[in-house]
């Protein structure tokens, strides 16, 4: 299964994605993690990406698409994968469709985690990551609303959009995620609900 997770920073995408990849046994493709890794290993992309990330700006599409293309050509992605934090712009979404079409595959679901802005700001204030400073948070939210939010309409037109209410406990939200993709068997055995 190929799934995209969309949602503002702080909506809980990382947590839900972590549970979903365990349930579905597919690789987790987080472009944010890949960029942070590139920074740590001082790879080619790391330095350029770091400047954008520290400013709360999106890293240029070209660089992101290079990283994603490389990652998708690895064998473990053949059975499916979960995209977290990608695509973040319409050109990225169009390019992803093209890359998948090259591999004779396509997306199955786009999960949009919906959380009110006040709650997002409160959650991010608690997280303490270096790009979670108030002014950077505001910029990240702004770029989400301007550049990423339009993807909701893009995927709605393709009939792939599954809106998820992101408020409540992680278990409650994960239950909604499972319902949205039609995978209701819980391998951890706590499927009483
Ligand atoms: P994340 O961990 O997904 O919140 O990403 C952290 C930062 O990495 C973002 O604020 C962007 O600067 C950058 N980033 C991650 N994914 C992308 C993407 N798909 N397109 C552009 N920039 C990205």
């Amino acid at each position: 299964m190929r799934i995209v997770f969309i949602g503002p920073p702080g909506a809980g995408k990382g947590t839900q994605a972590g549970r979903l990849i365990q349930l579905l046994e597919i690789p987790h493709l987080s472009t944010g993690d890949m960029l942070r890794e590139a920074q740590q290993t001082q790879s080619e992309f790391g330095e350029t990406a770091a400047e954008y990330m520290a400013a709360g700006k999106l890293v240029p599409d070209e660089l992101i698409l290079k990283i994603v293309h490389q990652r998708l050509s690895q064998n473990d992605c053949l059975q499916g994968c979960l995209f977290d934090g990608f695509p973040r712009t319409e050109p990225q979404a169009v390019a992803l469709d093209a890359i998948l079409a090259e591999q004779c595959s396509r997306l199955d679901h786009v999960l949009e985690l919906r959380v009110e802005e006040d709650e997002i700001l409160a959650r991010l204030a608690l997280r303490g990551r270096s790009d979670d400073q108030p002014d950077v948070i505001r910029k990240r939210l702004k770029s989400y609303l301007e550049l990423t939010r339009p993807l909701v309409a893009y995927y709605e037109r393709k009939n792939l959009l599954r809106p998820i209410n992101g408020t409540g406990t992680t278990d409650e939200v994960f239950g909604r995620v499972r319902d949205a993709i039609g995978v209701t068997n819980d391998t951890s055995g706590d499927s009483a609900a």
Side-chain angles (χ1 to χ4, degrees):
M1 207 181 286
R2 284 172 187 78
I3 299 173
V4 164
F5 240 120
I6 296 185
K13 288 195 303 289
T15 307
Q16 295 299 326
R19 294 186 65 166
L20 197 52
I21 55 159
Q22 271 187 345
L23 181 69
L24 300 176
E25 299 181 339
I26 53 176
H28 183 187
L29 270 61
S30 155
T31 43
D33 285 350
M34 290 182 206
L35 294 169
R36 280 183 288 273
E37 223 168 83
Q39 244 171 286
Q40 268 164 13
T41 56
Q42 294 174 350
S43 85
E44 185 191 342
F45 309 127
E47 226 173 279
T48 320
E51 290 166 20
Y52 289 93
M53 291 166 84
K57 287 188 190 158
L58 290 189
V59 172
D61 290 338
E62 198 189 337
L63 198 154
I64 294 289
L65 288 167
K66 226 177 193 172
I67 297 181
V68 170
H69 200 267
Q70 269 176 11
R71 183 67 187 86
L72 275 178
S73 60
Q74 291 169 2
N75 281 344
D76 62 331
C77 293
L78 287 175
Q79 26 139 18
C81 63
L82 188 143
F83 298 98
D84 172 7
F86 172 87
R88 258 187 165 91
T89 63
E90 192 155 332
Q92 289 181 16
V94 172
L96 176 61
D97 287 342
I99 296 171
L100 292 177
E102 253 175 45
Q103 301 180 342
C104 299
S105 78
R106 57 189 293 280
L107 291 173
D108 298 287
H109 304 283
V110 175
L111 305 174
E112 184 210 358
L113 266 190
R114 293 189 174 171
V115 177
E116 295 297 325
E117 193 170 321
D118 286 354
E119 192 172 338
I120 288 170
L121 291 171
R123 288 187 193 183
L124 286 172
L126 291 175
R127 205 162 66 168
R129 223 168 65 181
S130 65
D131 56 351
D132 284 343
Q133 302 307 314
D135 55 329
V136 181
I137 290 174
R138 256 178 261 117
K139 283 188 198 144
R140 288 170 60 210
L141 268 179
K142 187 166 175 267
S143 73
Y144 175 76
L145 292 173
E146 281 174 8
L147 299 167
T148 309
R149 195 77 221 288
L151 292 184
V152 166
Y154 176 85
Y155 286 124
E156 204 159 33
R157 286 197 296 276
K158 291 178 178 277
N159 211 16
L160 290 173
L161 191 75
R162 323 281 178 246
I164 314 270
N165 172 359
T167 54
T169 65
T170 54
D171 280 348
E172 283 165 352
V173 177
F174 193 57
R176 295 175 199 137
V177 167
R178 287 203 320 248
D179 288 347
I181 61 170
V183 177
T184 47
N185 59 313
D186 186 346
T187 50
S188 67
D190 63 354
S191 55

